[in-house]
Each structure stands twice: as structure tokens, then as C-alpha cells.
Amino acid sequence: MAPPTTTAASSEDLATDILAALDKSQPLLSSDAFPSATFVDLKAALDRLASREMVKYDTIERQEALLEPEAEQIAANGSHEARVFEALRKAVEGLSVKELEEAIGDKNVVKIGQGKAFKEKWISKTKDGKFTAVADKINDTTQEQIKTVQQTKTHPDPKILADLKKRKLIRTQNIFSFKIHKGPKFALKIPEEATDLTADMIASGAWKTATFKPYNFKALGATQNGGALHPLNKVRQELRNIFFEMGFEEMPTDKFVESGFWNFDALFVPQQHPARDLQDTFYISDPKAADFPRADSPDDTKDYQAYWDNVKAVHQDGKYGSIGYRYPWSGDESLRLVLRTHTTAISANMLHKLASTKGPDGKPLPARYFSIDRVFRNETVDATHLAEFHQVEGVIADYGLTLGGLMEFMEIFFGKMGLHDLQFKPAYNPYTEPSMEIFAYHKGLGKLVEIGNSGMFRAEMLESMGLPKDMRVFGWGLSLERPTMIKYGISNIRELLGHKVDLEFVQGSPAVLLGQE
């Protein structure tokens, strides 16, 4: 029986009817005994009885063929080709197309029927362009086939069923019925079952004769709509584990709004650089300007005025062996507020704090920092770009560092992410020299893909902070979205972030183990 939308009787009443009918004869076919009962009610009643071992049942599934409206017309009036033949047989001198349409009253029947009638050689065309019947009598096979389906809901020849379905004259649906037998605890009355063992039952002894409802250990529990980590957070946590494993300290990244000083000037990015244009950077309209760089805690004793003057001098006039950019540096431009375009602004702040620390030898101690957080760019949104994304950044400050050391460290770091056989390409960044783009071979895409940027921070940036000349700093970065999209097979970034994200994907996405397939 087909699953319906309404119920004729409650499953409780139906369960009693099933027991009464089964007492008279068994096995019992539900399609014969309860033809008007719905699938939902029958299944509920049978499950209720079967859980008490009062009945046993088998599910019978069969396919049933139903006529489409066009087939119902053929069953009543004949096939299209038969109707065309009959109209021409009655018109002894033949009919034109227009006259045939008027005689039958349906242009579609004439259009389809004449072609099939010609194929069966029931009709022909005269010299004056009229149609005429040529067969003495015909056998309307199509109507016979459809009447068989109408009466039996099927046809003995599967090929005929397939042909009628292909011609869209019939449709099929699965029908379910049940074959019911008596169970070991069959009775005409459903016993009352206790669901709990109460203190009163124990005290009175009623538990000895009570019938308890059995546990259904196969029943599914209620769906628990608990929270789920977004795939980005899963990959983020794996990257954090890699950094922590390699001895890095996580930087505070709670400042989405930065001044141009920390976001650009402290990194030796000139004020005329295209990255500072409105087309690339989001500027804050209210308030427009930041305060002068200052201490953010009582124990911060660094000289921010000296740092400000150093940054101005290295840009405008050159310093620390550099000729600078030689342009009139603007303090107002430096204090403009922006949505940070990279987390390197945080790295600059941390390195400035590092410059004021002293080790046993009076120099700043080596340090390893990392951050993973959101940055903002004024970019056109497409399948691979958004106006905001997450940047993964690592910084190593130590003495005696070299470019070869950076390349070796990149092999180790990205190897932990499952990326090997790296290739490096020279690149340009305002605040690193030398700079390199990092590529790795992607097995799924079958080609090299860019996975990040790296370089050694410039002396103009580091010495302005007060770091010693012999301290070198590695820096590298990549987006969090790219490895996440690769790992989860996502081609459109808008399926990962934004209002189009499928919550079932978020809830069902597997855990991530970078470096493993």
C-alpha cells in the first residue's frame, strides 16, 4: 500500500481489528483484510503488536503500474492511430488534415496518430493530398495493452511495460503490504504493560504478575542538535597544534582595526604603495584617525616617540644603511584607521616588544610567534576570493638566520601539513628581502599550486624597532581557506563562508588530520 497523507483509524483500534481477523484465519494479507487502511497506521499497529510478540509479519513489496491521463483516454476511446483509421474508414473519399482534425476534435491525436497509422500501413495518401483508409480491419494493440495494465496494475511482458513507460503512458510506484502470522504471545486483548518499576509495586508485590514493556535496544535515540566546529576551525586547530609542537607562541590578534602606522609604516610600506589605495584597503570613516602610538599597559616603558621618529626617518631620509624612499612622510596618513589587511601588523607590534627584552647577554632573546585570524581586503568577491579571509602567519626571530635556513624550515613546516617537494620563486614584498613565493605539487589538481609567501624582514623595519643588527627574522604566511578547501574538496569559497554555507556540511564534516590522506 502506498504511503498516504491521511489516516482512517488510529493504530490502537486497528491493532484490535488485526487480532480479531487473525484469530479467524492466518496468515493474513493486509491488502485483502484492510484495503482502506493506510501504510502508516498498519505499520504502527503491527509494530505495536510485534513488540509484544503477539504477531509476526513480513513486508511484501511489489511494483504497480498506473495510467497517465493520456493512457486513460486511450483505454476509453482507442489509440491515436486507431482513432485516425476509424475516422478515415467512415469517410469513404478520404479527408484532408484539417478535415481529419475536425472529425476527431484533437490536433495532437491527429499529429501522433497519422504517423503511427502510416507505419502500420493502415492508411495512405491520395494524389490530391488526402488521407484514406487502406486496411480492411485493424487490431488496436496499444489499447489492449493499456486495458490490461488498467485491470491488473501490471503487464505480463516487462518489455511492453518499459515501452509504455518510455512513451509516458504509465507510471510505476512501489506498493507495500504485509503478511501477518500469530506470534507466541497471541491474544485477542492487548495486555497493559508497565513502563517503570515503582516503589508501590515492590511494596505490594504487584511486580510479580505485572507485564513490563520490553526495552527496544534497536530504537534510534532522539537527534541531538549539538554544536559543531566549522571546517575552518578544525583546520585552524590542526595548524595551531603544528605551531605549538614546533615551540611557537600564539600572538594576540583581537585588533581588527589598526592604524596605518602598524599596518603599513612600521613594515616599511611606503605611503604611495598601491596596497594603501581605497581600491585595496577598507578605511574607517568614524573615527578616521588613531591616537599616537602609546603603551598599552602600565609596565610598558618603551619609547614610542623614538620609534615613531625612526620610522619617519627610514621612510623619508633613509637610515640604518638604507637610502629610504625619499618622500615627504605624513604623520596624518600614518594615523588613518584601517581594517587590518594582514596579521603582520600584530607581528610588528610583537617584535617591537621583543626589542625591549634582555637576555643574559643583554640582547633580546630568540622568539617564535604565530597567529591565525581574520584580515580584510577590498577585493571583488568570486569563487576563490572574499573581502575577508583568515591569514596564517609565522615569525622566527634569532641570530645567524639565513635564507637557506628559511627554506629548510619551510620544508619541515609544510611537510607536517602533508605538502612535500616544495619549490621557491623569487618575489617582492616591501618588508621582506629576500622574498619567496612557495609552491607545492597538488596531487588532486595535478599541478604546482602557490601555498604561501615568505621572506626575511628588512633591516629598515627591524632596526627601527631597536632590534640588534645581527638579529634576523623569518616571516611567512598563507591563507587558512586554501588548505581547508583542498582538504574538503570545495571549489567555491562561498560554500565555506557566508550565508550560502550548508549547515549539514558543517555538522557532518569529518575531523582533519593534516599530513594524512
Side-chain angles (χ1 to χ4, degrees):
M1 55 191 47
T5 55
T6 58
T7 57
S10 69
S11 61
E12 185 173 351
D13 294 337
L14 189 54
T16 304
D17 294 340
I18 290 172
L19 294 175
L22 198 57
D23 186 50
K24 295 178 182 178
S25 65
Q26 73 160 335
L28 196 67
L29 290 176
S30 63
S31 55
D32 297 333
F34 308 101
S36 60
T38 67
F39 173 84
V40 172
D41 280 344
L42 260 175
K43 187 73 169 61
L46 289 172
D47 285 343
R48 184 182 179 207
L49 296 173
S51 68
R52 294 167 170 79
E53 300 184 28
M54 299 179 72
V55 302
K56 297 183 291 184
Y57 70 90
D58 301 310
T59 302
I60 302 171
E61 181 181 358
R62 72 178 191 278
Q63 199 172 65
E64 192 174 82
L66 301 175
L67 300 187
E68 297 287 6
E70 184 180 351
E72 291 176 354
Q73 291 184 3
I74 291 175
N77 305 317
S79 65
H80 300 331
E81 56 270 30
R83 291 175 67 183
V84 168
F85 171 79
E86 188 62 28
L88 294 176
R89 187 183 64 79
K90 292 177 180 178
V92 180
E93 297 181 357
L95 297 172
S96 65
V97 174
K98 187 175 181 180
E99 292 170 338
L100 187 58
E101 290 174 351
E102 291 175 353
I104 294 177
D106 191 328
K107 291 183 178 181
N108 191 50
V109 171
V110 174
K111 182 179 179 180
I112 298 173
Q114 63 171 308
K116 292 186 176 180
F118 270 118
K119 185 178 180 180
E120 297 290 338
K121 298 182 179 179
W122 293 350
I123 65 174
S124 65
K125 201 170 187 179
T126 62
K127 292 180 179 180
D128 58 356
K130 291 186 176 183
F131 298 113
T132 182
V134 294
D136 295 329
K137 61 178 182 178
I138 63 170
N139 182 25
D140 193 352
T141 307
T142 301
Q143 186 185 40
E144 292 175 358
Q145 294 170 349
I146 287 177
K147 282 187 174 181
T148 300
V149 173
Q150 188 179 43
Q151 295 165 4
T152 64
K153 305 297 183 184
T154 187
H155 196 281
D157 189 343
K159 291 183 178 179
I160 291 176
L161 271 179
D163 180 62
L164 293 175
K165 190 174 181 180
K166 184 178 179 181
R167 292 165 62 183
K168 297 183 179 180
L169 294 175
I170 65 169
R171 67 183 185 278
T172 57
Q173 68 176 15
N174 292 329
I175 304 297
F176 296 91
S177 60
F178 305 98
K179 189 176 183 179
I180 312 168
H181 304 264
K182 289 181 180 179
K185 296 183 180 179
F186 176 81
L188 289 176
K189 185 178 179 182
I190 302 174
E192 292 185 6
E193 293 182 327
T195 56
D196 296 302
L197 179 63
T198 64
D200 291 340
M201 293 173 69
I202 295 174
S204 65
W207 64 271
K208 297 178 181 178
T209 57
T211 301
F212 289 94
K213 186 175 182 179
Y215 284 107
N216 182 3
F217 292 103
K218 296 182 179 179
L220 296 176
T223 302
Q224 301 299 317
N225 295 318
L229 284 177
H230 191 281
L232 277 174
N233 284 337
K234 294 178 181 179
V235 176
R236 179 179 183 272
Q237 186 57 45
E238 278 298 303
L239 286 169
R240 291 180 78 238
N241 292 340
I242 291 174
F243 277 114
F244 288 137
E245 177 188 332
M246 301 181 77
F248 283 75
E249 174 188 346
E250 190 166 15
M251 296 184 280
T253 56
D254 53 349
K255 295 181 181 178
F256 283 1
V257 177
E258 287 281 6
S259 67
F261 178 82
W262 290 110
N263 198 77
F264 297 118
D265 293 290
L267 302 178
F268 198 53
V269 178
Q271 294 183 345
Q272 299 84 8
H273 195 279
R276 301 177 76 150
D277 291 345
L278 289 173
Q279 290 83 358
D280 294 291
T281 299
F282 291 110
Y283 284 89
I284 306 301
S285 59
D286 186 19
K288 290 185 177 182
D291 293 337
F292 187 84
R294 66 179 189 274
D296 53 8
S297 64
D299 57 346
D300 186 351
T301 58
K302 294 185 291 297
D303 188 346
Y304 284 91
Q305 182 63 56
Y307 184 32
W308 173 275
D309 294 338
N310 287 341
V311 169
K312 177 179 179 180
V314 80
H315 277 256
Q316 184 169 284
D317 306 310
K319 200 173 182 180
Y320 312 112
S322 170
I323 63 172
Y325 293 115
R326 291 180 291 183
Y327 69 92
W329 187 81
S330 169
D332 292 338
E333 179 67 24
S334 187
L335 293 178
R336 291 181 68 184
L337 284 171
V338 301
L339 286 178
R340 68 180 179 209
T341 60
H342 45 200
T343 53
T344 316
I346 307 296
S347 301
N349 201 312
M350 292 297 292
L351 290 172
H352 182 233
K353 291 180 180 178
L354 178 67
S356 64
T357 63
K358 303 296 180 184
D361 58 356
K363 293 183 178 181
L365 292 171
R368 294 186 174 196
Y369 302 123
F370 83 93
S371 63
I372 307 173
D373 212 335
R374 193 172 301 184
V375 297
F376 308 86
R377 304 274 178 88
N378 192 1
E379 293 187 354
T380 302
V381 175
D382 58 26
T384 57
H385 295 86
L386 291 177
E388 56 180 291
F389 62 95
H390 295 78
Q391 181 177 338
V392 181
E393 180 162 332
V395 172
I396 297 178
D398 207 339
Y399 301 92
L401 297 180
T402 64
L403 181 64
L406 171 60
M407 296 170 72
E408 182 182 9
F409 188 85
M410 292 296 94
E411 294 277 3
I412 298 171
F413 176 79
F414 285 103
K416 292 180 178 291
M417 297 172 58
L419 300 170
H420 304 281
D421 301 323
L422 302 187
Q423 293 190 21
F424 301 92
K425 175 185 174 183
Y428 168 75
N429 282 312
Y431 43 89
T432 57
E433 180 60 38
S435 306
M436 300 179 298
E437 292 175 347
I438 309 168
F439 293 82
Y441 184 79
H442 187 276
K443 293 180 180 179
L445 299 176
K447 65 177 183 179
L448 286 170
V449 295
E450 183 183 351
I451 56 173
N453 267 286
S454 64
M456 301 185 71
F457 285 128
R458 297 178 66 110
E460 292 95 332
M461 170 185 165
L462 301 179
E463 292 187 41
S464 295
M465 299 174 176
L467 289 170
K469 286 181 177 292
D470 55 346
M471 176 168 267
R472 303 284 182 264
V473 180
F474 293 157
W476 72 96
L478 62 150
S479 77
L480 180 63
E481 282 74 7
R482 172 160 290 186
T484 305
M485 292 173 70
I486 292 174
K487 197 68 180 177
Y488 286 98
I490 300 170
S491 59
N492 192 328
I493 195 172
R494 287 167 289 195
E495 296 174 8
L496 185 65
L497 283 170
H499 65 284
K500 294 184 179 180
V501 174
D502 183 358
L503 292 182
E504 290 186 2
F505 161 70
V506 173
Q507 293 168 350
S509 59
V512 174
L513 291 175
L514 296 176
Q516 297 185 23
E517 295 297 330

